[in-house]
Amino acid sequence: MDRRYSAVARRLREVGLRVTAPRVAVLEVLDGHPHAGVDTVAAQVRNRIGRVSTQAVYDVLGACADAGLVRRIEPAGSAARFETRAGDDHHHLVCRSCGRITDVDCVVGVPPCLTPDDDAGYQLDEAEIVFWGRCPDCHNARTTHHDEHEEARP
């Protein structure tokens, strides 16, 4: 048994989940592919352990999210993505062009509204901030494409 498998198995046991091949494979895939969608996770799991249904992957992701091992993020207009970096208050940068997602560890400057002025009786346990823009690759490609068209004009 390799170390990564035993570390994932230990994480599953610590939260009271049975260690199964699909659970281990899903967590290993997410460790290597943060912010992956279900289709990507399912394809990678199949490469590792063979046949597994997409529904089984959804079930594993749901159980792991409920147990706090996986975080589900849902950028507007995008399918749900999953990551094993759960339990902290990190935020995300999302590219409007290609959908790339990048973790942001700390928000600096004047903090955005993290505490509502009226919680309406809710017991709050999380605030989520998503920054939208263009990743460096898309920004550079757009700038280069724009510059090429400008140069072509008489």
Side-chain angles (χ1 to χ4, degrees), residues 1 15 18 27 31 33 35 44-45 47-48 56 60 68 71 76 95 122 131-132 142 149 151:
M1 185 179 338
V15 296
R18 270 184 333 120
L27 291 175
D31 282 343
H33 299 86
H35 312 125
Q44 293 293 319
V45 167
N47 287 341
R48 289 170 182 257
V60 168
R71 180 176 178 188
C95 179
Y122 284 67
F131 299 94
W132 292 88
R142 186 173 186 191
H149 286 288
E151 291 173 11

Side-chain angles (χ1 to χ4, degrees), residues 43-144:
Q44 293 293 319
V45 167
R46 287 183 192 109
N47 287 341
R48 289 170 182 257
I49 64 170
R51 211 175 145 136
V52 64
S53 71
T54 301
Q55 184 60 51
V57 172
Y58 272 110
D59 293 346
V60 168
L61 289 166
C64 289
D66 289 346
L69 291 175
V70 168
R71 180 176 178 188
R72 176 187 177 115
I73 57 174
E74 298 181 61
S78 175
R81 308 285 186 91
F82 299 87
E83 62 184 343
T84 54
R85 185 173 173 191
D88 66 358
D89 287 326
H90 77 278
H91 308 296
H92 297 96
L93 298 164
V94 180
C95 179
R96 291 186 187 279
S97 297
C98 69
R100 177 176 158 191
I101 300 174
T102 303
D103 290 336
V104 177
D105 289 326
C106 181
V107 176
V108 296
V110 178
C113 180
L114 295 176
T115 306
D117 63 345
D118 180 5
D119 65 15
Y122 284 67
Q123 246 184 332
L124 301 176
D125 59 26
E126 183 178 10
E128 186 171 308
I129 298 172
V130 177
F131 299 94
W132 292 88
R134 286 191 174 68
C135 70
D137 293 341
C138 290
H139 175 74
N140 292 336
R142 186 173 186 191
T143 302
T144 301

